[in-house]
Amino acid sequence: MTMARKYLVDPAVTRWYHCISRCVRQAFLFHDKDNLDRRDWRQWIEDRLELLDSNFAISVGGFSVMDSHLHVLCRLDPEVADRWNPQEVMRRWIAIYPPKTLKSNDKKVVRQWIETQAKDHRRVTLLRDRLKNLGWFMKSLKEPLARLANKADACHGTFWEARYKSIAILDNDALLSTSTYIDLNPLAAGIASTPEEGLHTSIHQRVEHVCQKGEKEIERLKAARRGSVAASVAAGVMEQDLWLVPIEDRRDIVRDEGSGASCREGMLESFPLGSYLLLLDYTGRLFRDGKANMESGVKEIFDRLSSTLQSCQARTDKMLRSKSLRGSFFASDNQTVAAIATAPGHHFRNLSPQPPD
């Protein structure tokens, strides 16, 4: 499988990438009503994404598995990998690629094998770099499925198109629009009538995760979707134990409270899960029915994000109605894209940013 190009932008500038990978000839290779194995491949991708998220220094903020292509929203966390000791690097690598020479389930044998391999400093450095590389993340996701598919079909050849597309997300407005676009993909394709009905999407997992917590949490989620800002804030706490990156970044809130509790880094400050669900409902209704109404509480949250509901809607609507996404960068204004494109060391031709209006 062809490896991806290196990062388009220095990770110090942006950590978020929207990755898109298509099946060969854009065929519907994930969907076959007469072959249950093909439908199981979607669940395999979800499980694989969770495994990679827990072992790579790359976090998954959103995903959508469609009939002919795959969307993944990734956040690079290279500084996390730099803190791993050699044993941790080896443990994570064999969790993704179990070595053929290690056929024992004995924890003591596995621990001894890791200790021995960890002494090879050159290999540890190589694997550490791979575990924070976006290209290796996508390779580790796609290549095993291609082998599985070829084995199931008793054939040889290419399952995925050679190179995936990666779009650097340069600001919070673009990040929110991209996340919304990914979660609304099934609705835009006409295979779901509400956002969470898209079975193999991140929003479906988020809602299911809350519903599994009990009736009290379900009522909070329902209240949040009716526009209760207080319920939206409460719903944001529920994502801390979900493997996906939380929608809301609550670290400053926890720090101000002085509780001493640890909190995972989220996607956006002041934008809890409940408000995100409201935005999805609003955008989905506009796209499907041509009309919708957003409560004033969510408009106030957009003010805190230094954005507007109208600009976010315009960007998302344009993405949902586009047959394909163009360009290597996505930002809420062309000035941000231009600054990156003209930065020293970057030589890009025919840049096609996605303007908001």
Side-chain angles (χ1 to χ4, degrees), residues 280-293:
L280 287 180
D281 274 344
Y282 170 80
T283 308
R285 290 175 191 274
L286 278 176
F287 185 83
R288 185 183 63 239
D289 304 328
K291 59 182 179 179
N293 181 45

Side-chain angles (χ1 to χ4, degrees), residues 30-47:
F30 286 130
H31 177 70
D32 187 340
K33 63 181 180 181
D34 298 322
N35 189 336
L36 292 177
D37 288 340
R38 289 185 183 273
R39 282 179 282 178
D40 290 342
W41 293 349
R42 294 197 188 197
Q43 185 59 51
W44 185 94
I45 287 182
E46 287 193 45
D47 296 340

Side-chain angles (χ1 to χ4, degrees), residues 252-268:
D252 287 344
I253 297 175
V254 172
R255 193 178 300 115
D256 292 341
E257 290 174 350
S259 61
S262 61
C263 195
R264 295 168 57 205
E265 180 181 357
M267 294 172 63
L268 297 164

Side-chain angles (χ1 to χ4, degrees), residues 223-240:
R225 299 189 69 167
R226 290 194 296 267
S228 169
V229 176
S232 295
V233 173
V237 184
M238 304 176 192
E239 289 198 282
Q240 288 300 309

Side-chain angles (χ1 to χ4, degrees), residues 81 84-94 123-125 127-128 131:
W84 295 336
N85 61 37
Q87 291 78 12
E88 182 69 8
V89 171
M90 295 305 306
R91 184 193 67 77
R92 289 173 178 271
W93 183 255
I94 66 173
R123 179 161 177 76
V124 168
T125 300
L127 297 183
R128 190 192 304 274
L131 288 171

Side-chain angles (χ1 to χ4, degrees), residues 219-233 274-275 277-279 281 293-301:
E219 289 303 317
R220 283 182 176 177
L221 194 62
K222 289 180 178 179
R225 299 189 69 167
R226 290 194 296 267
S228 169
V229 176
S232 295
V233 173
S275 297
L277 286 170
L278 274 175
L279 177 63
D281 274 344
N293 181 45
M294 181 68 81
E295 297 292 336
S296 59
V298 177
K299 293 181 181 179
E300 294 172 2
I301 292 178

Side-chain angles (χ1 to χ4, degrees), residues 120-239:
D120 187 343
H121 300 298
R122 185 174 181 179
R123 179 161 177 76
V124 168
T125 300
L126 174 66
L127 297 183
R128 190 192 304 274
D129 289 341
R130 288 181 179 180
L131 288 171
K132 56 184 177 181
N133 183 276
L134 184 60
W136 269 95
F137 181 93
M138 293 300 292
K139 174 184 172 68
S140 301
L141 172 65
K142 295 164 56 181
E143 187 176 48
L145 179 62
R147 296 180 184 277
L148 180 68
N150 284 347
K151 183 178 180 179
D153 291 342
C155 69
H156 300 279
T158 304
F159 184 87
W160 302 97
E161 289 184 353
R163 191 181 290 275
Y164 67 91
K165 185 176 184 61
S166 57
I167 303 173
I169 311 300
L170 302 184
D171 56 41
N172 285 340
D173 278 11
L175 177 60
L176 181 58
S177 297
T178 300
S179 180
T180 303
Y181 164 76
I182 291 173
D183 281 327
L184 289 179
N185 244 249
L187 188 144
I191 59 177
S193 56
T194 61
E196 64 268 26
E197 284 184 10
L199 295 180
H200 301 282
T201 63
S202 46
I203 191 58
H204 178 79
Q205 278 218 5
R206 294 184 194 278
V207 172
E208 283 293 304
H209 178 73
V210 173
C211 290
Q212 290 171 5
K213 288 179 172 291
E215 291 295 328
K216 183 177 180 181
E217 284 73 12
I218 293 174
E219 289 303 317
R220 283 182 176 177
L221 194 62
K222 289 180 178 179
R225 299 189 69 167
R226 290 194 296 267
S228 169
V229 176
S232 295
V233 173
V237 184
M238 304 176 192
E239 289 198 282

